[in-house]
Amino acid sequence: MPERRADALQRLRSAHERAVLDELRRSGALTRADLVSRVGLSRTTLSAIVADLLAREVLVERRTASEGLGASAPDTEGQAAGPPAPGPEPLRGRGRPATTVSLNPRGAALVGIGMLVDRLEIVVANHAHQFVAGASRTWSPDLGPDERLAEVMEATQEVRRSGISLAAVEAVGLGLPGPVRDLTGQGDLAAAPAVTHLTTDLERHFGAVVRTDNNTRLAALAEVTWGSARGLSDILYLRWSHGVGGGIVIGGRLVRGAHGAAGEIGHTSRDPRGPACYCGGRGCLEGQAALPALLAACRDRGVHPRDTGELLALAAAGQPAVTQVLDEAAAAVGQVLAALAAQTDPACVVVAGEPAGLDGVLRVIRRQLDALSLPTARPRIPVRSSALGDDAAAQGAVAMLLREFGQAPDPLALPSPATGAAARTGAPA
């Protein structure tokens, strides 16, 4: 019985804390008297909550010019502060400065981590749901779990050194390659020791819950939240790079599937008798369209780009063999997307990755969608390039947390945070 009572009291305190934070998100800096009035808590309860939030660096306190020299702060519970009065720095009647409290713009609330095959991306959102810092690392695809965890820890230290407090992180979102079935770290994920070890260590490091999903699916969620599909509730997302992945958003929610494999567009078989794929299938789209396959196809035609950058440069310059290779791959991508669009009826298709920067590639995909999609449902499906950067999966991890923990009543109406280079400076948005 004492345990139940303690749990109930903790839930009540958490609800009061959320009410205080929600009011500060809506209204900005407020005096304690304002908060008492607006949130409806007693002065004693409000004072205890504010003191705790200040100690955890969730809130900051500043002197305010809302009272004149020697004026007393309002003492009636629920009474708001009066209008500003001219004069020197105001003091309370008993000699204590009048202050307001506000959300700490440099206090981290949510951390999004995107673990890609060749790099790590981290973004940090404060309690106002603004992205205020980020860090990135490149790493070898062969890097082991312990080494990857060490890179994550060093990247978070870089965030701390930029002046961001990680003392009050509420939750961490983690994007991982491959099928990810369960958001809670139980079930199928428990059978993957490396993943279990990683999430456990992250929970211990941050003192917060960790939620996981596939990194490309999370990038799709970021696109409907802040990217080129913002405001749309039904989209197809394709990530075309060293691998080919995807994400499906229906009714504003990610489609994950029974086994965590929804959106694995790259492993659609185009030829059951084709080359074997590492996924266990044959003739997969990824084997034809991924960047390593494009480089190999160019070499087969007598052109030898050294890397992806040179491949794209040759395509932009109109080199015939390279253009043909990319057109064939884009046609294959478009055909797979058209088949999927016939089943999902998306409002648009978003394409991310290096080839998406070539207008010719998007034109070929559009042509396939126009020709092969269900014409009676929608004659034309817009195809857009991604509006987000390499940290899209990390951003999507934050979007996932906002939805899961009820901080986004309307998931399609979240504020636009600072992104990209601005986020990496650590400066408040």
Side-chain angles (χ1 to χ4, degrees):
M1 195 68 181
E3 288 184 5
R4 290 184 180 179
R5 185 172 184 274
D7 288 343
L9 289 174
Q10 182 58 45
R11 287 195 298 272
L12 181 61
R13 183 179 178 85
S14 296
H16 289 165
E17 184 176 295
R18 285 196 302 273
V20 170
L21 294 177
D22 286 344
E23 185 58 45
L24 291 171
R25 287 188 190 104
R26 284 190 296 268
S27 304
L30 294 170
T31 65
R32 287 168 175 77
D34 288 337
L35 278 169
V36 165
S37 174
R38 297 183 186 210
V39 179
L41 299 175
S42 71
R43 176 173 298 175
T44 301
T45 300
L46 189 281
S47 295
I49 289 173
V50 168
D52 180 57
L53 292 173
L54 287 169
R56 288 158 49 201
E57 302 180 41
V58 176
L59 303 183
V60 290
E61 187 172 27
R62 293 185 175 88
R63 294 184 180 184
T64 178
S66 62
E67 297 168 333
L69 179 63
S72 298
D75 287 329
T76 304
E77 185 172 308
Q79 181 180 343
E89 183 178 277
L91 299 173
R92 288 185 182 271
R94 291 181 291 275
R96 185 161 56 89
T99 62
T100 61
V101 293
S102 60
L103 298 174
N104 181 3
R106 303 180 76 83
L110 304 172
V111 176
I113 303 173
M115 284 189 166
L116 286 75
V117 172
D118 59 347
R119 70 180 183 276
L120 165 72
E121 298 286 345
I122 294 180
V123 297
V124 175
N126 63 16
H127 290 269
H129 302 162
Q130 299 167 312
F131 288 163
V132 292
S136 63
R137 295 280 192 283
T138 58
W139 55 29
S140 166
D142 300 325
L143 205 64
D146 289 339
E147 291 82 5
R148 290 180 184 241
L149 178 61
E151 291 287 346
V152 172
M153 298 308 181
E154 175 55 34
T156 59
Q157 290 304 315
E158 179 182 327
V159 169
R160 281 194 175 96
R161 289 192 292 269
S162 74
I164 299 298
S165 170
L166 300 177
V169 171
E170 296 175 352
V172 177
L174 175 62
L176 298 167
V180 179
R181 176 180 180 180
D182 190 86
L183 293 178
T184 64
Q186 307 299 319
D188 283 1
L189 284 180
V195 173
T196 303
H197 173 64
L198 176 63
T199 55
T200 300
D201 281 356
L202 287 175
E203 285 177 345
R204 186 181 302 114
H205 177 72
F206 287 102
V209 296
V210 176
R211 295 291 183 261
T212 61
D213 206 328
N214 171 267
N215 52 29
T216 308
R217 277 203 298 261
L218 291 178
L221 190 61
E223 288 290 347
V224 299
T225 307
W226 298 299
S228 59
R230 182 174 185 179
L232 301 178
S233 58
D234 302 273
I235 73 157
L236 297 180
Y237 174 86
L238 179 82
R239 171 73 183 175
W240 182 1
S241 186
H242 296 282
V244 179
I248 305 168
V249 179
I250 300 293
R253 296 180 178 273
L254 279 179
V255 177
R256 296 183 172 92
H259 306 97
E264 291 287 349
I265 296 172
H267 296 289
T268 302
S269 177
R270 302 195 69 250
D271 181 4
R273 293 182 297 275
C277 178
Y278 66 86
C279 74
R282 285 190 170 273
C284 291
L285 174 65
E286 183 169 302
Q288 179 180 352
L291 291 176
L294 299 182
L295 291 169
C298 288
R299 289 193 291 269
D300 290 343
R301 301 184 194 198
V303 182
H304 298 270
R306 290 167 297 183
D307 53 25
T308 300
E310 187 171 349
L311 171 76
L312 298 176
L314 289 171
Q319 206 286 335
V322 175
T323 300
Q324 184 178 16
V325 165
L326 277 164
D327 283 353
E328 290 172 358
V333 166
Q335 289 160 15
V336 170
L337 287 172
L340 190 54
Q343 310 305 316
T344 58
D345 187 25
C348 81
V349 171
V350 178
V351 183
E354 293 87 344
L358 300 170
D359 289 339
V361 164
L362 293 185
R363 278 199 300 271
V364 173
I365 293 175
R366 287 189 187 100
R367 191 157 58 242
Q368 293 297 323
L369 282 164
D370 289 346
L372 301 175
S373 295
L374 189 62
T376 55
R378 183 178 185 128
R380 285 182 178 273
I381 299 172
V383 178
R384 304 172 182 174
S385 60
S386 169
L388 304 178
D390 291 337
D391 57 1
Q395 291 187 40
V398 171
M400 171 183 68
L401 296 174
L402 289 171
R403 287 163 168 76
E404 182 176 350
F405 292 103
Q407 298 184 52
D410 180 358
L412 300 180
L414 288 169
S416 293
T419 58
R424 298 195 185 286
T425 64

